[in-house]
Short mmCIF file of all heavy atoms in Angstrom, two decimals:
data_model
loop_
_atom_site.label_atom_id
_atom_site.label_comp_id
_atom_site.label_asym_id
_atom_site.label_seq_id
_atom_site.Cartn_x
_atom_site.Cartn_y
_atom_site.Cartn_z
N MET F 1 0.82 -1.20 0.00
CA MET F 1 0.00 0.00 0.00
C MET F 1 0.85 1.26 0.00
O MET F 1 0.46 2.26 -0.56
CB MET F 1 -0.92 -0.04 1.23
CG MET F 1 -1.97 1.01 1.22
SD MET F 1 -3.19 0.67 -0.04
CE MET F 1 -4.34 1.92 0.28
N GLY F 2 2.05 1.18 0.60
CA GLY F 2 2.94 2.34 0.64
C GLY F 2 3.42 2.74 -0.74
O GLY F 2 3.64 3.92 -1.02
N PHE F 3 3.60 1.75 -1.63
CA PHE F 3 4.04 2.04 -3.00
C PHE F 3 2.99 2.86 -3.75
O PHE F 3 3.32 3.79 -4.47
CB PHE F 3 4.35 0.74 -3.73
CG PHE F 3 4.79 0.92 -5.14
CD1 PHE F 3 6.03 1.46 -5.42
CD2 PHE F 3 3.96 0.58 -6.19
CE1 PHE F 3 6.45 1.65 -6.73
CE2 PHE F 3 4.37 0.75 -7.50
CZ PHE F 3 5.61 1.29 -7.77
N ILE F 4 1.73 2.52 -3.55
CA ILE F 4 0.65 3.25 -4.21
C ILE F 4 0.60 4.69 -3.72
O ILE F 4 0.43 5.62 -4.52
CB ILE F 4 -0.70 2.53 -3.99
CG1 ILE F 4 -0.67 1.17 -4.69
CG2 ILE F 4 -1.87 3.38 -4.49
CD1 ILE F 4 -1.85 0.29 -4.38
N TRP F 5 0.76 4.89 -2.41
CA TRP F 5 0.79 6.25 -1.87
C TRP F 5 1.96 7.04 -2.43
O TRP F 5 1.83 8.23 -2.72
CB TRP F 5 0.84 6.24 -0.35
CG TRP F 5 -0.50 6.04 0.28
CD1 TRP F 5 -0.91 4.97 1.00
CD2 TRP F 5 -1.62 6.93 0.20
NE1 TRP F 5 -2.22 5.13 1.38
CE2 TRP F 5 -2.68 6.33 0.90
CE3 TRP F 5 -1.83 8.16 -0.39
CZ2 TRP F 5 -3.93 6.92 1.02
CZ3 TRP F 5 -3.08 8.75 -0.26
CH2 TRP F 5 -4.11 8.14 0.43
N SER F 6 3.11 6.38 -2.59
CA SER F 6 4.27 7.06 -3.17
C SER F 6 3.98 7.50 -4.60
O SER F 6 4.37 8.61 -5.00
CB SER F 6 5.49 6.15 -3.15
OG SER F 6 5.88 5.88 -1.83
N LEU F 7 3.31 6.65 -5.37
CA LEU F 7 2.96 7.03 -6.74
C LEU F 7 1.98 8.20 -6.78
O LEU F 7 2.12 9.11 -7.59
CB LEU F 7 2.37 5.83 -7.48
CG LEU F 7 3.31 4.69 -7.81
CD1 LEU F 7 2.55 3.56 -8.50
CD2 LEU F 7 4.46 5.16 -8.68
N ILE F 8 1.00 8.16 -5.87
CA ILE F 8 0.01 9.24 -5.83
C ILE F 8 0.67 10.56 -5.42
O ILE F 8 0.46 11.59 -6.05
CB ILE F 8 -1.14 8.88 -4.87
CG1 ILE F 8 -1.95 7.72 -5.45
CG2 ILE F 8 -2.04 10.08 -4.59
CD1 ILE F 8 -2.96 7.11 -4.50
N VAL F 9 1.49 10.53 -4.38
CA VAL F 9 2.16 11.75 -3.92
C VAL F 9 3.15 12.22 -4.99
O VAL F 9 3.27 13.42 -5.25
CB VAL F 9 2.86 11.52 -2.56
CG1 VAL F 9 3.70 12.71 -2.17
CG2 VAL F 9 1.82 11.24 -1.49
N GLY F 10 3.85 11.29 -5.65
CA GLY F 10 4.75 11.66 -6.74
C GLY F 10 4.02 12.34 -7.88
O GLY F 10 4.50 13.32 -8.45
N ALA F 11 2.83 11.84 -8.21
CA ALA F 11 2.03 12.47 -9.26
C ALA F 11 1.61 13.88 -8.87
O ALA F 11 1.66 14.81 -9.68
CB ALA F 11 0.80 11.62 -9.56
N ILE F 12 1.21 14.05 -7.62
CA ILE F 12 0.80 15.38 -7.15
C ILE F 12 1.98 16.35 -7.17
O ILE F 12 1.84 17.49 -7.61
CB ILE F 12 0.17 15.28 -5.74
CG1 ILE F 12 -1.15 14.53 -5.81
CG2 ILE F 12 -0.03 16.67 -5.12
CD1 ILE F 12 -1.73 14.13 -4.48
N ILE F 13 3.13 15.88 -6.73
CA ILE F 13 4.34 16.73 -6.76
C ILE F 13 4.68 17.10 -8.20
O ILE F 13 5.02 18.24 -8.50
CB ILE F 13 5.52 16.01 -6.06
CG1 ILE F 13 5.26 15.95 -4.56
CG2 ILE F 13 6.84 16.71 -6.35
CD1 ILE F 13 6.22 15.07 -3.80
N GLY F 14 4.58 16.14 -9.12
CA GLY F 14 4.85 16.41 -10.54
C GLY F 14 3.87 17.41 -11.13
O GLY F 14 4.25 18.29 -11.90
N VAL F 15 2.59 17.29 -10.76
CA VAL F 15 1.58 18.24 -11.24
C VAL F 15 1.86 19.64 -10.71
O VAL F 15 1.78 20.63 -11.45
CB VAL F 15 0.15 17.78 -10.84
CG1 VAL F 15 -0.87 18.87 -11.04
CG2 VAL F 15 -0.23 16.54 -11.61
N ILE F 16 2.23 19.75 -9.44
CA ILE F 16 2.54 21.05 -8.85
C ILE F 16 3.75 21.67 -9.55
O ILE F 16 3.74 22.85 -9.90
CB ILE F 16 2.76 20.92 -7.33
CG1 ILE F 16 1.44 20.57 -6.64
CG2 ILE F 16 3.35 22.21 -6.76
CD1 ILE F 16 1.60 20.20 -5.17
N ALA F 17 4.79 20.86 -9.76
CA ALA F 17 6.00 21.37 -10.43
C ALA F 17 5.67 21.80 -11.86
O ALA F 17 6.15 22.85 -12.32
CB ALA F 17 7.09 20.30 -10.44
N GLY F 18 4.85 21.03 -12.56
CA GLY F 18 4.45 21.40 -13.92
C GLY F 18 3.63 22.67 -13.95
O GLY F 18 3.78 23.50 -14.85
N ALA F 19 2.76 22.85 -12.96
CA ALA F 19 1.94 24.06 -12.90
C ALA F 19 2.78 25.29 -12.59
O ALA F 19 2.58 26.36 -13.17
CB ALA F 19 0.85 23.90 -11.85
N ILE F 20 3.76 25.14 -11.71
CA ILE F 20 4.61 26.28 -11.34
C ILE F 20 5.50 26.70 -12.51
O ILE F 20 5.68 27.88 -12.78
CB ILE F 20 5.44 25.95 -10.09
CG1 ILE F 20 4.52 25.89 -8.86
CG2 ILE F 20 6.56 26.97 -9.88
CD1 ILE F 20 5.20 25.41 -7.60
N THR F 21 6.03 25.71 -13.24
CA THR F 21 6.92 26.01 -14.36
C THR F 21 6.18 26.33 -15.64
O THR F 21 6.78 26.84 -16.58
CB THR F 21 7.88 24.84 -14.63
OG1 THR F 21 7.11 23.69 -14.96
CG2 THR F 21 8.78 24.56 -13.46
N GLY F 22 4.90 26.02 -15.70
CA GLY F 22 4.13 26.24 -16.92
C GLY F 22 4.33 25.15 -17.95
O GLY F 22 3.91 25.28 -19.09
N LYS F 23 4.99 24.06 -17.58
CA LYS F 23 5.26 22.96 -18.50
C LYS F 23 4.34 21.78 -18.27
O LYS F 23 4.50 20.75 -18.89
CB LYS F 23 6.72 22.48 -18.34
CG LYS F 23 7.75 23.56 -18.37
CD LYS F 23 7.91 24.13 -19.74
CE LYS F 23 9.04 25.15 -19.73
NZ LYS F 23 9.03 25.99 -20.88
N GLY F 24 3.38 21.91 -17.38
CA GLY F 24 2.55 20.79 -16.99
C GLY F 24 1.57 20.33 -18.05
O GLY F 24 1.16 19.18 -18.05
N ASN F 25 1.17 21.20 -18.95
CA ASN F 25 0.20 20.81 -19.97
C ASN F 25 0.77 19.81 -20.96
O ASN F 25 0.06 19.00 -21.52
CB ASN F 25 -0.32 22.04 -20.71
CG ASN F 25 -1.15 22.93 -19.83
OD1 ASN F 25 -1.69 22.49 -18.83
ND2 ASN F 25 -1.22 24.20 -20.18
N SER F 26 2.07 19.87 -21.20
CA SER F 26 2.68 18.98 -22.18
C SER F 26 3.06 17.64 -21.58
O SER F 26 3.44 16.73 -22.30
CB SER F 26 3.92 19.65 -22.77
OG SER F 26 4.88 19.90 -21.76
N MET F 27 2.98 17.51 -20.26
CA MET F 27 3.37 16.27 -19.60
C MET F 27 2.13 15.41 -19.32
O MET F 27 1.09 15.92 -18.98
CB MET F 27 4.07 16.57 -18.27
CG MET F 27 5.37 17.29 -18.44
SD MET F 27 6.24 17.83 -16.95
CE MET F 27 5.66 16.87 -15.64
N GLY F 28 2.26 14.11 -19.47
CA GLY F 28 1.18 13.19 -19.14
C GLY F 28 1.30 12.75 -17.69
O GLY F 28 2.20 13.17 -16.96
N TRP F 29 0.40 11.87 -17.28
CA TRP F 29 0.41 11.41 -15.89
C TRP F 29 1.64 10.62 -15.56
O TRP F 29 2.20 10.76 -14.47
CB TRP F 29 -0.85 10.58 -15.60
CG TRP F 29 -2.02 11.46 -15.32
CD1 TRP F 29 -3.04 11.77 -16.17
CD2 TRP F 29 -2.25 12.20 -14.13
NE1 TRP F 29 -3.89 12.64 -15.57
CE2 TRP F 29 -3.44 12.92 -14.31
CE3 TRP F 29 -1.58 12.32 -12.92
CZ2 TRP F 29 -3.96 13.75 -13.33
CZ3 TRP F 29 -2.10 13.14 -11.94
CH2 TRP F 29 -3.28 13.84 -12.15
N ILE F 30 2.10 9.80 -16.48
CA ILE F 30 3.30 9.00 -16.20
C ILE F 30 4.51 9.92 -16.07
O ILE F 30 5.34 9.74 -15.17
CB ILE F 30 3.51 7.94 -17.30
CG1 ILE F 30 2.38 6.91 -17.22
CG2 ILE F 30 4.86 7.26 -17.16
CD1 ILE F 30 2.39 5.86 -18.27
N ALA F 31 4.61 10.93 -16.91
CA ALA F 31 5.71 11.89 -16.81
C ALA F 31 5.62 12.67 -15.50
O ALA F 31 6.64 12.97 -14.89
CB ALA F 31 5.71 12.84 -18.00
N ASN F 32 4.40 12.99 -15.07
CA ASN F 32 4.23 13.69 -13.79
C ASN F 32 4.69 12.81 -12.63
O ASN F 32 5.34 13.30 -11.70
CB ASN F 32 2.77 14.09 -13.57
CG ASN F 32 2.39 15.33 -14.34
OD1 ASN F 32 3.23 16.18 -14.62
ND2 ASN F 32 1.13 15.43 -14.68
N ILE F 33 4.33 11.53 -12.68
CA ILE F 33 4.76 10.62 -11.60
C ILE F 33 6.27 10.50 -11.58
O ILE F 33 6.90 10.59 -10.53
CB ILE F 33 4.08 9.25 -11.77
CG1 ILE F 33 2.58 9.36 -11.52
CG2 ILE F 33 4.71 8.22 -10.83
CD1 ILE F 33 1.80 8.11 -11.88
N ILE F 34 6.87 10.33 -12.75
CA ILE F 34 8.33 10.21 -12.83
C ILE F 34 9.00 11.49 -12.36
O ILE F 34 9.95 11.46 -11.58
CB ILE F 34 8.77 9.84 -14.25
CG1 ILE F 34 8.30 8.42 -14.58
CG2 ILE F 34 10.27 9.95 -14.42
CD1 ILE F 34 8.46 8.03 -16.03
N ALA F 35 8.50 12.64 -12.81
CA ALA F 35 9.07 13.92 -12.38
C ALA F 35 8.92 14.10 -10.88
O ALA F 35 9.84 14.60 -10.22
CB ALA F 35 8.39 15.07 -13.12
N GLY F 36 7.79 13.70 -10.33
CA GLY F 36 7.58 13.82 -8.89
C GLY F 36 8.49 12.92 -8.09
O GLY F 36 9.09 13.34 -7.09
N LEU F 37 8.64 11.67 -8.51
CA LEU F 37 9.48 10.73 -7.76
C LEU F 37 10.96 11.05 -7.90
O LEU F 37 11.70 11.08 -6.90
CB LEU F 37 9.20 9.29 -8.21
CG LEU F 37 7.81 8.75 -7.90
CD1 LEU F 37 7.63 7.37 -8.51
CD2 LEU F 37 7.58 8.71 -6.41
N VAL F 38 11.41 11.31 -9.12
CA VAL F 38 12.83 11.64 -9.33
C VAL F 38 13.14 13.01 -8.73
O VAL F 38 14.18 13.21 -8.10
CB VAL F 38 13.19 11.58 -10.83
CG1 VAL F 38 14.61 12.07 -11.08
CG2 VAL F 38 13.02 10.17 -11.35
N GLY F 39 12.23 13.96 -8.91
CA GLY F 39 12.41 15.28 -8.32
C GLY F 39 12.43 15.24 -6.81
O GLY F 39 13.17 15.98 -6.16
N SER F 40 11.64 14.35 -6.23
CA SER F 40 11.64 14.17 -4.79
C SER F 40 12.99 13.67 -4.31
O SER F 40 13.55 14.18 -3.33
CB SER F 40 10.54 13.21 -4.38
OG SER F 40 10.61 12.93 -3.00
N ALA F 41 13.52 12.67 -4.98
CA ALA F 41 14.84 12.15 -4.61
C ALA F 41 15.92 13.22 -4.78
O ALA F 41 16.79 13.39 -3.92
CB ALA F 41 15.17 10.93 -5.45
N LEU F 42 15.84 13.97 -5.88
CA LEU F 42 16.82 15.05 -6.13
C LEU F 42 16.72 16.14 -5.07
O LEU F 42 17.73 16.56 -4.50
CB LEU F 42 16.57 15.64 -7.52
CG LEU F 42 17.41 16.84 -7.92
CD1 LEU F 42 18.86 16.42 -8.14
CD2 LEU F 42 16.84 17.48 -9.17
N GLY F 43 15.51 16.60 -4.81
CA GLY F 43 15.32 17.67 -3.84
C GLY F 43 15.74 17.27 -2.43
O GLY F 43 16.36 18.06 -1.72
N GLN F 44 15.43 16.05 -2.03
CA GLN F 44 15.81 15.61 -0.69
C GLN F 44 17.31 15.36 -0.60
O GLN F 44 17.88 15.55 0.47
CB GLN F 44 15.01 14.36 -0.31
CG GLN F 44 13.54 14.68 -0.09
CD GLN F 44 12.75 13.46 0.30
OE1 GLN F 44 13.08 12.79 1.25
NE2 GLN F 44 11.69 13.20 -0.45
N ALA F 45 17.93 14.96 -1.70
CA ALA F 45 19.39 14.78 -1.68
C ALA F 45 20.10 16.13 -1.58
O ALA F 45 21.10 16.26 -0.87
CB ALA F 45 19.84 14.04 -2.94
N LEU F 46 19.56 17.14 -2.26
CA LEU F 46 20.19 18.46 -2.24
C LEU F 46 19.84 19.27 -1.00
O LEU F 46 20.69 19.98 -0.46
CB LEU F 46 19.78 19.25 -3.49
CG LEU F 46 20.28 18.75 -4.83
CD1 LEU F 46 19.65 19.57 -5.96
CD2 LEU F 46 21.79 18.80 -4.89
N LEU F 47 18.57 19.19 -0.58
CA LEU F 47 18.08 20.09 0.46
C LEU F 47 17.80 19.41 1.80
O LEU F 47 17.53 20.08 2.78
CB LEU F 47 16.81 20.80 -0.02
CG LEU F 47 16.97 21.60 -1.32
CD1 LEU F 47 15.61 22.06 -1.80
CD2 LEU F 47 17.91 22.75 -1.12
N GLY F 48 17.80 18.10 1.83
CA GLY F 48 17.53 17.38 3.08
C GLY F 48 16.06 17.09 3.28
O GLY F 48 15.22 17.37 2.43
N HIS F 49 15.76 16.55 4.43
CA HIS F 49 14.39 16.15 4.79
C HIS F 49 13.84 17.12 5.83
O HIS F 49 13.99 16.91 7.02
CB HIS F 49 14.37 14.73 5.37
CG HIS F 49 14.90 13.70 4.42
ND1 HIS F 49 14.10 13.11 3.48
CD2 HIS F 49 16.13 13.18 4.25
CE1 HIS F 49 14.81 12.25 2.78
NE2 HIS F 49 16.05 12.28 3.22
N TRP F 50 13.23 18.19 5.39
CA TRP F 50 12.64 19.14 6.31
C TRP F 50 11.24 19.50 5.81
O TRP F 50 10.90 19.27 4.67
CB TRP F 50 13.50 20.39 6.47
CG TRP F 50 13.88 21.04 5.17
CD1 TRP F 50 14.94 20.74 4.38
CD2 TRP F 50 13.19 22.09 4.49
NE1 TRP F 50 14.94 21.52 3.26
CE2 TRP F 50 13.88 22.38 3.32
CE3 TRP F 50 12.05 22.82 4.79
CZ2 TRP F 50 13.48 23.36 2.42
CZ3 TRP F 50 11.64 23.80 3.89
CH2 TRP F 50 12.37 24.06 2.74
N GLY F 51 10.46 20.05 6.66
CA GLY F 51 9.10 20.42 6.31
C GLY F 51 8.16 19.24 6.45
O GLY F 51 8.55 18.15 6.87
N PRO F 52 6.92 19.44 6.07
CA PRO F 52 5.94 18.36 6.20
C PRO F 52 6.27 17.20 5.26
O PRO F 52 6.79 17.40 4.17
CB PRO F 52 4.62 19.03 5.81
CG PRO F 52 4.99 20.24 5.06
CD PRO F 52 6.33 20.66 5.53
N SER F 53 5.96 15.99 5.71
CA SER F 53 6.22 14.79 4.92
C SER F 53 4.92 14.06 4.65
O SER F 53 4.00 14.06 5.47
CB SER F 53 7.17 13.86 5.66
OG SER F 53 8.44 14.43 5.76
N LEU F 54 4.88 13.41 3.51
CA LEU F 54 3.74 12.59 3.13
C LEU F 54 4.28 11.42 2.32
O LEU F 54 5.05 11.62 1.38
CB LEU F 54 2.75 13.41 2.30
CG LEU F 54 1.38 12.82 2.04
CD1 LEU F 54 0.65 12.55 3.35
CD2 LEU F 54 0.56 13.77 1.20
N ALA F 55 3.93 10.22 2.70
CA ALA F 55 4.38 8.98 2.04
C ALA F 55 5.91 8.89 2.03
O ALA F 55 6.50 8.42 1.08
CB ALA F 55 3.81 8.87 0.64
N GLY F 56 6.53 9.39 3.08
CA GLY F 56 7.98 9.31 3.20
C GLY F 56 8.73 10.36 2.41
O GLY F 56 9.96 10.30 2.29
N MET F 57 8.03 11.33 1.83
CA MET F 57 8.66 12.38 1.04
C MET F 57 8.46 13.72 1.73
O MET F 57 7.34 14.09 2.05
CB MET F 57 8.06 12.45 -0.36
CG MET F 57 8.29 11.24 -1.20
SD MET F 57 7.54 11.46 -2.82
CE MET F 57 6.60 9.96 -2.92
N ALA F 58 9.56 14.43 1.95
CA ALA F 58 9.47 15.79 2.47
C ALA F 58 8.94 16.67 1.34
O ALA F 58 9.55 16.76 0.28
CB ALA F 58 10.82 16.27 2.96
N LEU F 59 7.80 17.29 1.54
CA LEU F 59 7.09 17.93 0.45
C LEU F 59 7.80 19.15 -0.15
O LEU F 59 7.88 19.27 -1.37
CB LEU F 59 5.68 18.32 0.91
CG LEU F 59 4.77 17.14 1.25
CD1 LEU F 59 3.43 17.63 1.74
CD2 LEU F 59 4.62 16.21 0.08
N VAL F 60 8.31 20.03 0.68
CA VAL F 60 8.92 21.26 0.16
C VAL F 60 10.19 20.95 -0.65
O VAL F 60 10.30 21.40 -1.80
CB VAL F 60 9.18 22.27 1.30
CG1 VAL F 60 9.89 23.51 0.78
CG2 VAL F 60 7.88 22.66 1.98
N PRO F 61 11.15 20.19 -0.12
CA PRO F 61 12.31 19.85 -0.95
C PRO F 61 11.94 19.02 -2.18
O PRO F 61 12.56 19.17 -3.23
CB PRO F 61 13.21 19.04 -0.01
CG PRO F 61 12.77 19.37 1.35
CD PRO F 61 11.32 19.69 1.25
N SER F 62 10.91 18.20 -2.07
CA SER F 62 10.48 17.39 -3.21
C SER F 62 9.93 18.25 -4.33
O SER F 62 10.23 18.03 -5.50
CB SER F 62 9.43 16.38 -2.76
OG SER F 62 9.96 15.46 -1.85
N ILE F 63 9.12 19.23 -3.98
CA ILE F 63 8.55 20.12 -5.00
C ILE F 63 9.65 20.95 -5.64
O ILE F 63 9.69 21.12 -6.86
CB ILE F 63 7.45 21.01 -4.38
CG1 ILE F 63 6.25 20.14 -4.01
CG2 ILE F 63 7.03 22.12 -5.35
CD1 ILE F 63 5.20 20.85 -3.19
N ILE F 64 10.58 21.46 -4.83
CA ILE F 64 11.70 22.24 -5.38
C ILE F 64 12.55 21.37 -6.31
O ILE F 64 12.93 21.80 -7.40
CB ILE F 64 12.54 22.85 -4.25
CG1 ILE F 64 11.73 23.89 -3.49
CG2 ILE F 64 13.84 23.46 -4.79
CD1 ILE F 64 12.37 24.39 -2.22
N GLY F 65 12.83 20.13 -5.91
CA GLY F 65 13.59 19.22 -6.75
C GLY F 65 12.87 18.90 -8.04
O GLY F 65 13.49 18.83 -9.11
N ALA F 66 11.55 18.71 -7.99
CA ALA F 66 10.78 18.43 -9.19
C ALA F 66 10.76 19.64 -10.12
O ALA F 66 10.82 19.48 -11.34
CB ALA F 66 9.36 18.02 -8.82
N ILE F 67 10.68 20.84 -9.56
CA ILE F 67 10.73 22.05 -10.39
C ILE F 67 12.07 22.13 -11.11
O ILE F 67 12.13 22.40 -12.32
CB ILE F 67 10.49 23.31 -9.52
CG1 ILE F 67 9.04 23.36 -9.06
CG2 ILE F 67 10.86 24.58 -10.28
CD1 ILE F 67 8.77 24.41 -8.01
N ILE F 68 13.16 21.88 -10.39
CA ILE F 68 14.49 21.90 -11.00
C ILE F 68 14.56 20.86 -12.12
O ILE F 68 15.05 21.14 -13.22
CB ILE F 68 15.58 21.65 -9.93
CG1 ILE F 68 15.64 22.83 -8.97
CG2 ILE F 68 16.94 21.40 -10.58
CD1 ILE F 68 16.49 22.57 -7.73
N LEU F 69 14.07 19.66 -11.85
CA LEU F 69 14.10 18.59 -12.84
C LEU F 69 13.29 18.95 -14.08
O LEU F 69 13.75 18.77 -15.21
CB LEU F 69 13.58 17.30 -12.23
CG LEU F 69 13.55 16.09 -13.15
CD1 LEU F 69 14.97 15.64 -13.45
CD2 LEU F 69 12.76 14.97 -12.54
N VAL F 70 12.08 19.47 -13.91
CA VAL F 70 11.23 19.83 -15.04
C VAL F 70 11.89 20.93 -15.87
O VAL F 70 11.88 20.88 -17.11
CB VAL F 70 9.82 20.26 -14.57
CG1 VAL F 70 9.03 20.93 -15.67
CG2 VAL F 70 9.06 19.06 -14.03
N LEU F 71 12.49 21.91 -15.22
CA LEU F 71 13.16 22.99 -15.95
C LEU F 71 14.36 22.47 -16.74
O LEU F 71 14.57 22.86 -17.90
CB LEU F 71 13.59 24.10 -15.00
CG LEU F 71 12.45 24.93 -14.41
CD1 LEU F 71 12.99 25.90 -13.36
CD2 LEU F 71 11.70 25.67 -15.50
N ILE F 72 15.15 21.59 -16.15
CA ILE F 72 16.32 21.04 -16.83
C ILE F 72 15.89 20.19 -18.02
O ILE F 72 16.42 20.34 -19.13
CB ILE F 72 17.20 20.24 -15.85
CG1 ILE F 72 17.88 21.18 -14.87
CG2 ILE F 72 18.24 19.41 -16.60
CD1 ILE F 72 18.60 20.48 -13.74
N VAL F 73 14.93 19.31 -17.81
CA VAL F 73 14.47 18.44 -18.91
C VAL F 73 13.83 19.25 -20.02
O VAL F 73 14.12 19.03 -21.20
CB VAL F 73 13.50 17.36 -18.36
CG1 VAL F 73 12.81 16.62 -19.50
CG2 VAL F 73 14.24 16.39 -17.47
N SER F 74 13.01 20.23 -19.68
CA SER F 74 12.37 21.05 -20.72
C SER F 74 13.40 21.90 -21.46
O SER F 74 13.25 22.15 -22.66
CB SER F 74 11.27 21.92 -20.13
OG SER F 74 11.80 22.87 -19.23
N PHE F 75 14.47 22.32 -20.79
CA PHE F 75 15.53 23.08 -21.45
C PHE F 75 16.20 22.22 -22.52
O PHE F 75 16.38 22.66 -23.66
CB PHE F 75 16.56 23.56 -20.42
CG PHE F 75 17.75 24.25 -21.05
CD1 PHE F 75 17.65 25.52 -21.53
CD2 PHE F 75 18.96 23.57 -21.13
CE1 PHE F 75 18.75 26.14 -22.11
CE2 PHE F 75 20.06 24.17 -21.69
CZ PHE F 75 19.95 25.46 -22.19
N PHE F 76 16.57 21.00 -22.15
CA PHE F 76 17.27 20.14 -23.09
C PHE F 76 16.34 19.62 -24.19
O PHE F 76 16.77 19.50 -25.34
CB PHE F 76 17.97 18.98 -22.39
CG PHE F 76 19.22 19.42 -21.69
CD1 PHE F 76 19.29 19.42 -20.32
CD2 PHE F 76 20.32 19.86 -22.40
CE1 PHE F 76 20.44 19.83 -19.66
CE2 PHE F 76 21.47 20.27 -21.77
CZ PHE F 76 21.53 20.26 -20.40
N LEU F 77 15.11 19.31 -23.86
CA LEU F 77 14.17 18.88 -24.91
C LEU F 77 13.77 20.03 -25.82
O LEU F 77 13.51 19.83 -27.00
CB LEU F 77 12.93 18.23 -24.28
CG LEU F 77 13.15 16.88 -23.62
CD1 LEU F 77 11.85 16.36 -23.04
CD2 LEU F 77 13.74 15.88 -24.60
N GLY F 78 13.72 21.23 -25.27
CA GLY F 78 13.41 22.41 -26.08
C GLY F 78 14.51 22.75 -27.06
O GLY F 78 14.26 23.26 -28.14
N ARG F 79 15.75 22.45 -26.72
CA ARG F 79 16.88 22.72 -27.61
C ARG F 79 16.89 21.76 -28.79
O ARG F 79 17.43 22.08 -29.83
CB ARG F 79 18.19 22.62 -26.85
CG ARG F 79 18.32 23.70 -25.79
CD ARG F 79 19.66 23.67 -25.16
NE ARG F 79 20.57 24.36 -26.07
CZ ARG F 79 21.88 24.38 -25.93
NH1 ARG F 79 22.44 23.76 -24.92
NH2 ARG F 79 22.63 25.02 -26.76
N ARG F 80 16.33 20.56 -28.59
CA ARG F 80 16.34 19.56 -29.65
C ARG F 80 15.32 19.88 -30.73
O ARG F 80 15.44 19.45 -31.86
CB ARG F 80 16.03 18.18 -29.08
CG ARG F 80 17.13 17.70 -28.15
CD ARG F 80 16.79 16.37 -27.58
NE ARG F 80 16.92 15.37 -28.65
CZ ARG F 80 16.55 14.12 -28.52
NH1 ARG F 80 16.03 13.71 -27.38
NH2 ARG F 80 16.70 13.27 -29.50
N ARG F 81 14.31 20.64 -30.41
CA ARG F 81 13.24 20.93 -31.39
C ARG F 81 13.55 22.12 -32.21
O ARG F 81 14.17 22.99 -32.14
CB ARG F 81 11.92 21.14 -30.65
CG ARG F 81 11.46 19.87 -30.05
CD ARG F 81 10.13 20.03 -29.40
NE ARG F 81 9.74 18.76 -28.82
CZ ARG F 81 8.91 18.64 -27.84
NH1 ARG F 81 8.32 19.69 -27.33
NH2 ARG F 81 8.60 17.46 -27.36
#
């Protein structure tokens, strides 16, 4: 059951990061989940585990990490087009 919660929270983090960066419309649900989970790992590795947590993810560093990830990926994918 914890894995399902992680996917749900990862999707929400990805949606928030996409909405903040303005890149969320071009991303699907799977991309949002991946961005949320990878961004969560990145943000917690860079910023630590502080703030409120949900499903084992510190929300504030996770959202910041997902924003960084979405911006980096969109920068490199935007250069290819």
Side-chain angles (χ1 to χ4, degrees):
M1 190 70 174
F3 179 71
I4 294 172
W5 279 113
S6 295
L7 291 178
I8 292 170
V9 173
I12 293 169
I13 290 170
V15 167
I16 292 170
I20 290 173
T21 60
K23 310 289 184 195
N25 293 337
S26 62
M27 295 175 22
W29 279 102
I30 293 176
N32 281 333
I33 292 171
I34 292 170
L37 294 175
V38 174
S40 175
L42 175 70
Q44 290 181 55
L46 293 174
L47 302 171
H49 300 274
W50 52 274
S53 292
L54 192 59
M57 295 181 232
L59 295 178
V60 176
S62 296
I63 292 170
I64 293 170
I67 290 170
I68 292 169
L69 180 70
V70 167
L71 290 174
I72 290 171
V73 169
S74 65
F75 175 76
F76 284 112
L77 290 180
R79 294 186 81 189
R80 294 179 72 188
R81 292 184 181 156

